[in-house]
Amino acid sequence: MRPRLGSLAFIFPMLAIVLLLTGCPKRPLMPPPPAPAPVAAPAPAPPPPAPAPAPAPMPVAPAPAPAPAPAPAPVPVAPVAPAPTPAPPKEYAANDNLKPINFDFDKAVIRPGDAKTLDASADWLRRNSNNLLLIEGHCDERGTIEYNLALGEQRARAVYDYLTNLGVPGTRLSTVSFGKERPICSESSEACRARNRRDQFLTKER
């Protein structure tokens, strides 16, 4: 009995080895499951409709402007008396009490006979202290305008100095030169030229 059991003990392990060597029949290889189809993203929801514009407000008629207040009655203004018109300035005028004097050609020296005329003029001016005197110096037509203006001023200044030396205040005396611009004689003679070489005198009240 033991030898049979020993045979069986040898057979069973050998069968087990054969079975292991032959293995189980191979299963056919299964392909991998297909990848799931991509799921499309849901479409975005459409934007909500824009709200309807609010209705325009009904125009409101402007309130009528208040009536203007009545203008105050004008206050009567007393008429203003016009200002008195100032008297026009007095102008120098010829004075028969003051005689003109004459000069030699190209000279501004007072001659003795003319000095007596100026003595009488100084006496009148001292007695009539409310009068101002304008001394005009003149020349004949010979020489330039500039030269004769200077010569006429020298002749007027000579009389100014003479009268102030006789006591007539210089504040009452004025001088001006017209050169050869105001002749009193237009003849081409020595007598006419001598008349034009002169000082003549005009006065006015202060």
Side-chain angles (χ1 to χ4, degrees), residues 104-117:
D104 292 332
F105 172 68
D106 203 26
K107 300 293 183 181
V109 178
I110 297 173
R111 300 176 298 187
D114 294 309
K116 293 181 181 180
T117 301

Side-chain angles (χ1 to χ4, degrees), residues 70-89:
V75 179
V77 179
V80 179
T85 303

Side-chain angles (χ1 to χ4, degrees), residues 15-200:
L15 289 174
I17 293 172
V18 171
L19 289 174
L20 288 175
L21 293 173
T22 58
C24 298
K26 294 182 179 180
R27 294 180 184 179
L29 294 176
M30 297 296 291
V39 180
M58 296 296 291
V60 179
V75 179
V77 179
V80 179
T85 303
K90 295 179 180 179
E91 299 293 336
Y92 284 100
N95 189 327
D96 293 337
N97 297 292
L98 307 176
K99 305 299 182 183
I101 65 171
N102 298 96
F103 294 87
D104 292 332
F105 172 68
D106 203 26
K107 300 293 183 181
V109 178
I110 297 173
R111 300 176 298 187
D114 294 309
K116 293 181 181 180
T117 301
L118 293 178
D119 291 342
S121 296
D123 181 63
W124 187 91
L125 289 168
R126 288 192 298 266
R127 288 184 288 104
N128 296 272
S129 58
N130 63 326
N131 278 263
L132 304 177
L133 177 68
L134 176 63
I135 308 168
E136 293 183 350
H138 298 268
C139 305
D140 61 31
E141 78 280 8
R142 290 173 291 187
T144 64
I145 294 176
E146 293 77 9
Y147 180 83
N148 282 308
L149 285 172
L151 181 58
E153 179 61 31
Q154 292 174 17
R155 288 170 175 171
R157 192 69 191 182
V159 170
Y160 177 97
D161 294 340
Y162 190 92
L163 293 176
T164 54
N165 287 335
L166 293 177
V168 180
T171 55
R172 295 171 54 196
L173 308 179
S174 301
T175 63
V176 64
S177 174
F178 291 104
K180 61 180 181 179
E181 301 304 312
R182 295 189 179 184
I184 58 175
C185 180
S186 57
E187 298 175 6
S188 297
S189 64
E190 183 55 34
C192 180
R193 296 188 182 103
R195 292 178 59 196
N196 289 333
R197 299 190 298 266
R198 71 195 188 280
D199 273 1
Q200 62 185 54

